[in-house]
């Protein structure tokens, strides 16, 4: 399918030549997916993203998840990240870019690159990692691939968008060092290395200011410090204060709010409260984006469907993590295999929400087993769409398992468990899935458990099966990739890009996640994921970086190009990797920096570099890993800059964050030997006074739920009697196609999504049917009706 190329611009190059009204008009969308054609400037088509195209069929004025043109559903970021393979991620990016161009898409809304602060974030499947270095490197590779096809990438969601609870309105309170070192550094790296054409400003606020109008984030950091000169667009419906937004450099409001803020902008310019130059600069950036897109080569008519499907299959296998294997895998030929689990027939291969792709084709595990000529017997064991227990299904599955040589039990999280718009309630699998594993293991038939999920789950039985394979969400060819791995046609190339805790309460952020009263406090600071596990010494079920291979690798002694390092200098390590097994395979060499300078509080070790190597049996290759100067630095909030502590740093060459193979010590001649945060053990729970010290001011008092404001969510509105009656009315005004609204698979996502929406966004999404003045009137009425107490959960 090809969309008709849009109209071309009429040679306008200078925003300053346009009348103010046209400049202002360019700063918001024409509909859900397009920028405006105005003043001779052509429109641009934007599309989700991040791991497949979602170009909507029919009118672009409605939000629809079902009716998009078929496109390749590549593995979501969680799986791509597990490949630790920059080259492969770039290849996927280039394929995405090619598909985008076929659809005449100017900007692909991805990659999504928020840090996985807590495993319960409902959208973790769309994000790469809990580690900023891995996130930054892979996001840069993805951007590079997309943009190699003359399609703009949009790194999102800038910034600190680490949860779905209250996502439109939550204020993330984070100290600056934690921001710089954990939550911003991936974005900084991707911007420096891959120059994305656009950045998406997130829904939430950071330290009191909405990301779409956050002068510090957008102007001080993004534009002035990092030199970003592309377009900043709002996440869909994230615009809060448009005048402040334009002043801060938030160029494009998406989607269209039917010109809701245009008058505010022109009035602000007229009254002198907004510098007209800010409007012109934003309009110019939109024009520059349009020109970039117009200058690209003509779009291909088709994309290579089969080749992209094959790439998906290869990438999914490369991101599959072999968590445990007693030698049963790969399966020996000729075995009778019991294939158990509804996901083998109705696979869970992508996440729910705005990233939902209508695939070109889906390969199930059953299809792939049959195509491979395997001797299989199938039993569902559970209903893939429902978490409810059905003992009869378990009994049948056990009987079948007992009659076979090996059982492959495919389990995971149903769609209703994890999605954009809500966070998971806990980390457990549906009870029936746990029951099923235990029942099959009890038959004494050797059992391989296969996991399909977008984020870590609890595996209380993890020592019992013969093998555990984490497939994550493998995209449309996930079933093929799984069978390739099980039968040994492909190497399970993945290593965990996140920690699998055995107890969610071990996670340092758990005490503060997801906050309350529209406020979330990042009191755990730098201690996210493995950084906390290695520092406070708790043992995860499976550590960050872990993953087994089908072959064996021996690593030689690391060579380092220098042992004495000055300010601004990095180190390069060379590690010989020999494949001593009899199969081709891949390995991931990880280098962690362990700061022993005694200058500053730091996690015990932090990822400083990595390399993925592919080695033929009996062959040796040398992994080259560059540790960049930044990995030796910390952000000093007193001087407001990156400093290099003087002293000794141990570079740890490792198979995972918990498995150090070799160490190299370097001497750093830095620029400081003291800091305001001396080393120590991070407290289990950070007291108010200590958090305030880190913030440099008192911990903000959460905003009371009353009086109602434009920021009040529909969920909160629903808590009052009058609010309930207007809720239904407002819902009808939000344009969404009926198929999406009524599909039971999306019911929870849609309902939670709407409940999260603040009143201002309802007005913005209504396409002009609900004006802000109406919302303001409603708020006045609701606030006057004080007799209905608001009950917030
Ligand atoms: C999501 C974005 C997405 C946009 C458009 C928002 O709800 O947060 O990631 O690109 O919708 O679908």
């Amino acid at each position: 399918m090809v969309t008709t190329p849009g109209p071309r611009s009429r040679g306008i190059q200078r925003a300053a030549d346009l009348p103010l009204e046209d400049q202002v008009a360019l700063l918001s969308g024409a509909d859900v997916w397009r920028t405006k054609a105005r003043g001779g400037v052509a429109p641009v088509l934007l599309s989700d993203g991040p791991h497949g195209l979602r170009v909507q069929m029919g009118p672009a004025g409605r939000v629809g998840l079902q009716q998009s043109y078929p496109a390749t559903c590549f593995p979501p970021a969680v799986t791509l990240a597990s490949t630790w393979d920059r080259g492969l991620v770039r290849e996927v990016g280039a394929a995405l870019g090619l598909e985008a161009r076929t659809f005449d898409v100017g900007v692909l809304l991805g990659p999504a690159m928020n840090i996985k602060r807590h495993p319960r974030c409902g959208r973790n499947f769309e994000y790469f990692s809990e580690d900023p270095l891995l996130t930054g490197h892979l996001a840069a590779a993805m951007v590079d691939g997309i943009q190699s096809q003359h399609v703009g990438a949009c790194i999102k969601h800038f910034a600190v968008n680490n949860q779905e609870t209250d996502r439109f309105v939550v204020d993330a309170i984070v100290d600056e060092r934690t921001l710089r070192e954990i939550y911003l550094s991936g974005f900084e790296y991707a911007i420096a290395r891959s120059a994305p054409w656009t950045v998406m400003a997130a829904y939430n606020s950071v330290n009191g200011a909405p990301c779409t109008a956050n002068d510090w984030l957008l102007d001080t950091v993004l534009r002035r410090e990092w030199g970003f000169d592309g377009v900043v667009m709002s996440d869909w419906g994230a615009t809060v204060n448009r005048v402040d937004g334009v002043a801060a450099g938030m160029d494009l409001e998406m989607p269209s709010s039917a010109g809701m803020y245009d008058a505010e902008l022109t009035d602000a310019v007229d009254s002198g409260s907004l510098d007209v130059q800010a409007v012109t600069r934003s309009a110019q950036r939109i024009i520059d984006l349009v020109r970039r897109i117009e200058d690209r080569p003509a779009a291909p008519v088709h994309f290579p469907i089969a080749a992209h499907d094959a790439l998906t299959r290869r990438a999914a296998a490369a991101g599959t993590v072999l968590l445990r294997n007693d030698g049963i895998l790969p399966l020996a030929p000729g075995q009778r295999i019991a294939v158990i689990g509804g996901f083998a027939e109705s696979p869970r291969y992508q996440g729910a929400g705005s990233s939902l792709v209508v695939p070109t084709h889906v390969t199930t595990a059953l299809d792939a087993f049959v195509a491979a000529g395997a001797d299989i017997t199938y039993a569902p064991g559970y209903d893939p769409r429902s978490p409810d227990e059905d003992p009869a299904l378990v009994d049948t599955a056990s009987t079948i398992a007992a009659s076979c040589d090996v059982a492959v039990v495919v389990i995971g999280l149903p769609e209703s468990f994890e999605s954009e718009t809500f966070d998971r309630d806990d980390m457990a699998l549906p009870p029936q899935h746990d029951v099923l594993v235990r029942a099959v293991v009890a038959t004494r038939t050797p059992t391989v458990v296969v996991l399909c999920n977008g984020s870590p789950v609890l595996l209380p039985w993890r020592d019992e099966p013969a093998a555990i394979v984490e497939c994550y969400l493998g995209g449309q060819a996930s079933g093929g990739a799984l069978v390739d791995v099980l039968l040994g046609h492909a190497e399970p190339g993945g290593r965990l890009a996140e920690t699998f805790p055995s107890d969610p309460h071990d996670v340092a952020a758990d005490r503060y996640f997801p906050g309350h009263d529209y406020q979330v406090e990042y009191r755990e600071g730098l201690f996210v994921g493995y950084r906390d596990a290695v520092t406070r010494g708790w043992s995860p079920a499976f550590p960050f970086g872990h993953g087994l291979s089908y072959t064996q690798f021996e690593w030689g002694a690391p060579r380092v190009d220098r042992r004495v390092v000055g300010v601004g200098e990095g180190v390069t390590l060379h590690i010989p990797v020999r494949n001593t097994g009899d199969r081709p395979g891949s390995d991931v060499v990880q280098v962690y920096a362990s700061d022993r300078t005694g200058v500053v509080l730091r996690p015990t070790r932090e990822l400083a570099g990595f390399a993925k190597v592919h080695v033929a049996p009996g062959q040796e290759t040398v992994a080259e890993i560059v540790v960049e100067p930044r990995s030796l630095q910390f952000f000093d909030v007193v001087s407001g800059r990156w400093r290099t502590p003087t002293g000794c740093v141990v570079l740890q060459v490792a198979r995972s964050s918990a498995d150090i193979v070799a160490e190299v010590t370097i001497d750093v001649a830095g620029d400081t030997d003291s800091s305001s945060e001396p080393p120590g053990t991070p407290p289990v729970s950070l007291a108010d006074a200590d958090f305030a010290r880190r913030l440099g001011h008192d911990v903000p008092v959460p905003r009371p739920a009353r009086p109602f404001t434009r920021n009040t969510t529909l969920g909160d509105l629903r808590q009052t009697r009058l609010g309930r009656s207007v809720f239904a009315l407002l819902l009808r005004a939000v344009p969404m196609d009926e198929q999406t609204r009524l599909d039971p698979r999306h019911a929870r996502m849609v309902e939670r999504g709407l409940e999260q929406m603040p009143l201002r966004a309802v007005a913005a999404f209504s396409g002009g049917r609900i004006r802000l003045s109406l919302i303001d009137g409603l708020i006045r009425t609701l606030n006057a009706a004080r007799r209905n107490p608001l009950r917030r959960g």
Side-chain angles (χ1 to χ4, degrees):
M1 147 356 284
V2 201
T3 53
T4 336
R8 290 186 66 83
S9 301
R10 278 191 276 110
I12 296 290
Q13 298 202 29
R14 278 171 40 90
D17 295 341
L18 294 174
L20 179 64
E21 285 66 29
D22 284 351
Q23 293 183 34
V24 165
L26 286 175
L27 306 193
S28 60
D31 53 36
V32 176
W33 300 115
R34 246 170 272 263
T35 62
K36 282 204 196 85
R38 184 57 76 94
V41 181
V44 170
L45 179 63
L46 316 167
S47 171
D48 284 313
H51 46 263
L53 267 291
R54 188 163 70 86
V55 177
Q56 236 174 266
M57 295 174 175
R62 304 182 81 75
V63 179
L65 296 177
Q66 314 290 304
Q67 293 158 322
S68 50
Y69 292 101
T72 309
C73 178
F74 291 99
V78 60
T79 315
L80 290 179
S82 309
T83 68
W84 293 61
D85 191 334
R86 300 172 183 88
L88 183 57
V89 172
R90 187 186 187 283
E91 208 179 328
V92 171
L96 279 165
L98 179 67
E99 292 195 21
R101 204 144 58 83
T102 314
F103 288 107
D104 207 34
V105 166
V107 176
L108 178 73
L109 304 175
M113 51 181 301
N114 294 101
I115 292 293
K116 301 185 194 205
R117 176 183 180 228
H118 195 295
R120 284 203 286 118
C121 170
R123 216 173 170 180
N124 275 351
F125 68 91
E126 267 188 82
Y127 303 146
F128 290 103
S129 175
E130 66 189 27
D131 181 83
L133 183 129
L134 184 58
T135 295
H137 282 240
L138 297 181
M142 175 68 86
V143 170
D144 208 33
I146 294 170
Q147 296 191 167
S148 70
Q149 300 302 307
H150 312 279
V151 170
C154 179
I155 56 174
K156 65 186 187 183
H157 311 87
F158 189 65
V160 203
N161 183 176
N162 312 105
Q163 65 186 54
E164 293 299 284
T165 305
D166 292 333
R167 68 169 177 165
F168 276 91
V169 289
V170 74
D171 187 8
I173 308 298
V174 201
D175 65 273
E176 187 174 357
R177 180 169 175 215
T178 301
L179 274 174
R180 298 278 192 170
E181 293 187 22
I182 303 287
Y183 294 99
L184 300 183
S185 68
F187 285 99
E188 180 180 10
Y189 184 89
I191 286 169
R193 292 304 159 102
S194 61
W197 295 3
T198 72
V199 168
M200 186 185 288
Y203 284 124
N204 52 288
S205 296
V206 174
N207 291 329
C211 290
T212 53
N214 192 315
D215 187 65
W216 181 79
L217 207 52
L218 299 182
D219 191 52
T220 307
V221 175
L222 179 67
R223 298 229 188 255
R224 291 178 197 271
E225 288 183 23
W226 300 350
F228 178 72
D229 61 358
V231 166
V232 176
M233 70 180 82
S234 71
D235 198 344
W236 267 229
T239 299
V240 180
N241 182 329
R242 194 64 189 111
V243 174
D244 288 356
V246 172
M250 209 292 284
D251 306 308
L252 178 64
E253 180 203 2
M254 286 303 295
S256 160
S257 62
M260 192 166 91
Y261 296 111
D262 288 10
E264 269 182 34
L265 285 175
T266 35
D267 289 353
V269 170
D270 290 345
S271 70
S273 58
L274 176 65
D275 184 354
V276 69
Q277 294 300 326
V279 174
T280 306
R281 273 196 299 272
S282 285
Q284 187 63 54
R285 287 194 280 258
I286 308 268
I287 293 172
D288 292 345
L289 176 69
V290 171
R291 297 209 69 85
R292 260 178 154 160
I293 294 162
E294 287 189 329
D295 287 348
R296 67 190 184 184
V301 178
H302 301 293
F303 61 85
I305 294 177
H308 285 188
D309 189 61
L311 172 58
T312 303
R313 186 162 175 158
R314 182 155 56 87
T320 296
V321 187
L322 185 57
L323 293 176
R324 172 185 162 83
N325 187 16
D326 72 357
I328 191 175
L329 290 179
L331 296 175
Q335 285 180 306
R336 282 171 304 134
I337 308 169
V339 179
I340 291 165
F343 287 160
E345 189 181 14
S346 311
R348 178 87 210 293
Y349 61 93
Q350 64 173 326
S354 60
S355 66
L356 199 85
V357 180
V358 173
T360 58
H361 177 76
V362 173
T363 306
T364 69
L366 286 185
D367 295 338
F369 269 124
V370 170
D375 179 2
I376 60 162
T377 311
Y378 169 66
Y382 59 85
D383 177 346
R385 283 165 306 275
S386 154
D388 299 336
E389 295 184 40
D390 185 338
L393 290 178
V394 176
D395 285 351
T396 313
S398 307
T399 310
I400 286 175
S403 69
C404 289
D405 301 323
V406 58
V408 172
V409 185
V410 187
I411 58 165
L413 294 176
E415 263 170 347
S416 61
F417 273 55
E418 56 180 347
S419 166
E420 181 176 341
T421 80
F422 59 87
D423 297 316
R424 280 189 294 162
D425 300 329
D426 55 40
M427 288 178 55
L429 288 161
Q432 170 116 348
H433 292 219
D434 287 330
V435 168
L436 182 65
V437 170
R438 290 205 155 107
V440 173
V441 167
T443 65
R444 297 188 172 276
T445 298
T447 303
V448 177
V449 175
V450 172
L451 298 167
C452 304
N453 46 293
S455 206
V457 285
L458 298 181
L459 307 168
W461 36 255
R462 62 183 177 279
D463 297 330
E464 297 170 31
I468 306 177
V469 181
E470 174 56 89
C471 285
Y472 283 120
L473 306 173
Q476 64 179 45
S478 62
L482 168 61
V483 170
D484 290 346
V485 166
L486 293 178
L487 300 182
H489 302 154
E491 160 89 351
R495 304 292 183 267
L496 293 178
E498 60 191 352
T499 303
F500 267 54
S502 55
D503 178 347
H505 303 305
D506 284 339
V507 176
D510 197 60
R511 284 171 286 282
Y512 319 114
F513 178 94
H516 54 86
D517 295 329
Y518 300 169
Q519 180 161 306
V520 55
E521 295 162 7
Y522 285 49
R523 295 191 188 216
E524 75 285 359
L526 306 170
F527 297 91
V528 178
Y530 74 87
R531 283 174 163 72
D532 185 52
V534 298
T535 306
R536 286 198 297 121
W538 51 271
S539 299
F542 296 103
F544 174 86
H546 170 74
L548 306 172
S549 170
Y550 283 163
T551 184
Q552 294 83 45
F553 293 99
E554 257 177 41
W555 294 2
R559 289 192 308 276
V560 61
D561 66 340
R562 61 180 75 178
R563 298 235 173 218
V564 178
V565 178
V567 175
E569 289 177 344
V571 179
T572 302
L573 289 98
H574 290 98
I575 300 108
V577 178
R578 171 170 287 278
N579 181 346
T580 55
D582 54 8
R583 308 170 53 89
S586 63
D587 207 0
V588 176
V589 184
Q590 302 158 41
V591 171
Y592 295 83
S594 182
D595 184 329
R596 311 278 168 88
T597 62
V599 170
V600 67
L601 173 75
R602 257 198 152 144
T604 296
R605 73 182 61 100
E606 295 179 279
L607 188 69
F610 64 93
K612 174 119 183 190
V613 291
H614 299 265
V615 198
Q619 299 297 303
E620 182 173 299
T621 192
V622 176
E624 181 181 284
I625 298 178
V626 177
V627 174
E628 297 189 24
R630 178 56 68 78
S631 291
L632 305 174
Q633 297 175 324
F634 70 100
F635 190 83
D636 176 32
V637 289
V638 177
S639 59
R641 60 190 182 90
W642 294 91
R643 305 292 297 265
T644 308
T646 293
C648 137
V649 172
V650 178
L651 299 177
Q652 302 177 315
V653 181
R655 293 189 195 278
S656 81
S657 57
D659 184 3
I660 311 299
V661 177
E663 294 189 335
V664 176
T665 301
I666 55 169
D667 282 321
V668 182
D671 55 15
T672 183
D673 51 17
S674 66
S675 79
S676 60
E677 245 187 322
T681 311
V684 173
S685 155
L686 193 71
D688 283 354
D690 294 327
F691 189 39
R693 201 167 311 123
R694 265 217 229 129
L695 290 171
H697 54 75
D698 287 349
V699 182
V701 178
R703 180 174 82 69
R706 278 194 165 197
F708 294 127
T709 67
R710 287 181 181 183
N711 236 18
T712 298
T713 62
L714 290 185
D716 271 350
L717 201 66
R718 240 180 160 179
Q719 308 285 335
T720 70
R721 204 182 315 148
L722 182 54
R724 267 193 296 283
S725 22
V726 285
F727 180 81
L729 284 173
L730 293 177
L731 272 192
R732 280 204 283 280
V734 176
M736 177 172 288
D737 69 62
E738 285 304 294
Q739 214 183 332
T740 300
R741 202 193 291 272
L742 300 177
D743 187 327
R745 287 180 310 156
H746 306 311
R748 189 169 175 209
M749 193 259 300
V750 169
E751 190 183 342
R752 294 287 290 273
L754 292 171
E755 278 187 352
Q756 305 253 20
M757 211 179 266
L759 289 168
R760 61 174 154 80
V762 173
F765 277 123
S766 75
R769 274 173 293 171
I770 298 181
R771 294 184 179 282
L772 272 179
S773 53
L774 181 72
I775 293 287
D776 291 340
L778 173 69
I779 291 166
R780 276 193 299 277
T781 312
L782 285 165
N783 284 333
R786 303 293 275 186
R787 63 185 182 282
N788 299 314
L790 175 71
R791 297 189 315 277
R792 302 204 59 225

